[in-house]
Amino acid sequence: MNPEAGVIVAFDFGLKHIGMAVGQEITNTAQTFYSLKAESGEPNWDELDIIVRDWQPKLFVVGNPINMDGSDSDIKEKSDKFSNLIRQRYNIPVELMDERLSTREARERMKSDSGHFVDTSADTHQISAQIILESWFREKS
């Protein structure tokens, strides 16, 4: 067993919801975890403090919101601010992961068997966080 292996928490940043996924390096697997309510991209820090204390992640992975052409999206500045704040607040390293098409894939995963779309924004952000973390695991392998 790798003594360096640990818990990774991924975030899909949004202005009203910040999706979270949790993964662990031993099996390189990720699962949806939670969606923090946010106000203009600002999470409830007390709630996040409890999650970080309980899970004790060794790394945060934050979706990097860039456009398909590689340019910065409109939300990137706020997402970068969030990344910097969690790095400083928890003294845990943060890595950015390209999140292009993660929302589209999340919506595909959320389709019911009948092909109808079942969605809430909170759910989409959680699943997007899982996709971001799965992509990070694939890239680091």
Side-chain angles (χ1 to χ4, degrees):
M1 182 161 85
N2 180 356
E4 298 295 316
V7 172
I8 311 292
V9 173
F11 297 94
D12 178 58
F13 178 81
L15 297 177
K16 294 182 180 178
H17 295 98
I18 300 172
M20 296 178 67
V22 175
Q24 53 91 17
E25 292 181 300
I26 293 172
T27 60
N28 285 344
T29 57
Q31 58 189 14
T32 60
F33 175 64
Y34 193 67
S35 183
L36 292 166
K37 288 186 180 180
E39 194 167 312
S40 297
E42 187 83 16
N44 176 331
W45 289 108
D46 292 337
E47 188 175 17
L48 188 53
D49 290 345
I50 293 167
I51 293 168
V52 170
R53 184 193 68 223
D54 290 350
W55 283 90
Q56 298 181 358
K58 71 177 249 179
L59 177 71
F60 294 132
V61 175
V62 178
N64 190 14
I66 51 178
N67 295 318
M68 291 304 293
D69 65 2
S71 63
D72 289 350
S73 71
D74 293 339
I75 200 169
K76 182 160 176 38
E77 187 176 321
K78 288 187 179 204
S79 177
D80 287 347
K81 178 182 176 187
F82 171 75
S83 297
N84 290 331
L85 286 172
I86 61 172
R87 178 184 296 117
Q88 292 169 359
R89 185 177 187 100
Y90 303 110
N91 197 30
I92 294 173
V94 174
E95 290 189 22
L96 299 181
M97 183 67 209
D98 186 343
E99 69 171 30
R100 284 180 279 192
L101 300 178
S102 64
T103 300
R104 179 180 291 169
E105 185 176 341
R107 289 185 176 137
E108 283 296 315
R109 289 185 185 187
M110 292 171 64
K111 281 185 180 175
S112 68
D113 291 336
S114 65
H116 290 86
F117 186 58
V118 180
D119 178 33
T120 69
S121 180
D123 292 339
T124 302
H125 282 287
Q126 287 178 55
I127 294 170
S128 292
Q130 179 184 7
I131 292 164
I132 290 164
L133 189 50
E134 290 169 349
S135 297
W136 183 85
F137 280 132
R138 277 193 306 275
E139 189 173 282
K140 82 166 196 78
S141 297

